[in-house]
Amino acid sequence: MDICEVFFSNGQSLKVNVSQAAFNEIINTEDGMLDSRLVLLQNQDGDSIYINPLQVVFVTSDFKKSKNEVFTLSEQATEEEHESHNLEAIKDLSKDIDNME
């Protein structure tokens, strides 16, 4: 099984169990530009994480395998799921702002 490591603009990285070429195809549009949609990843325990392809700065497959968590690509989330997730985030942010006041 191929594993690649994805590095983000905030300095964090994530290991994903697909090849470097396959991951690049997933985060790019047909025109070769980075997709602006979030990509859903899941680990073996079912925990989910969304990544923003626009924040990816480097993808490599040249590293030693370690005990770090490896995530798998999930099916693309529907637009409704994105809207629902965004609405929840906005509600949480509004609550946080109210609590700060």
Side-chain angles (χ1 to χ4, degrees), residues 37-38 40 50 75-85:
R37 295 176 295 167
L38 297 176
L40 175 62
Y50 285 93
E75 292 182 20
Q76 286 286 347
T78 63
E79 196 64 33
E80 292 84 22
E81 289 174 342
H82 287 290
E83 290 172 3
S84 172
H85 179 72

Side-chain angles (χ1 to χ4, degrees), residues 17-93:
N17 69 343
V18 295
S19 70
Q20 181 180 5
F23 186 80
N24 284 331
E25 286 180 21
I26 291 166
I27 64 171
N28 287 314
T29 64
E30 292 176 358
D31 300 332
M33 303 297 292
L34 284 175
D35 200 337
S36 61
R37 295 176 295 167
L38 297 176
V39 176
L40 175 62
L41 304 174
Q42 293 181 325
N43 67 7
Q44 294 174 346
D45 297 329
D47 298 327
S48 299
I49 184 173
Y50 285 93
I51 64 165
N52 182 348
L54 300 175
Q55 299 298 317
V56 173
V57 294
F58 191 74
V59 179
T60 183
S61 59
D62 186 25
F63 64 92
K64 294 180 182 177
K65 293 181 181 178
S66 66
K67 295 181 181 179
N68 292 345
E69 195 85 47
V70 175
F71 282 77
T72 58
L73 286 168
S74 179
E75 292 182 20
Q76 286 286 347
T78 63
E79 196 64 33
E80 292 84 22
E81 289 174 342
H82 287 290
E83 290 172 3
S84 172
H85 179 72
N86 289 343
L87 183 58
E88 285 179 34
I90 290 170
K91 287 179 182 178
D92 290 343
L93 179 60

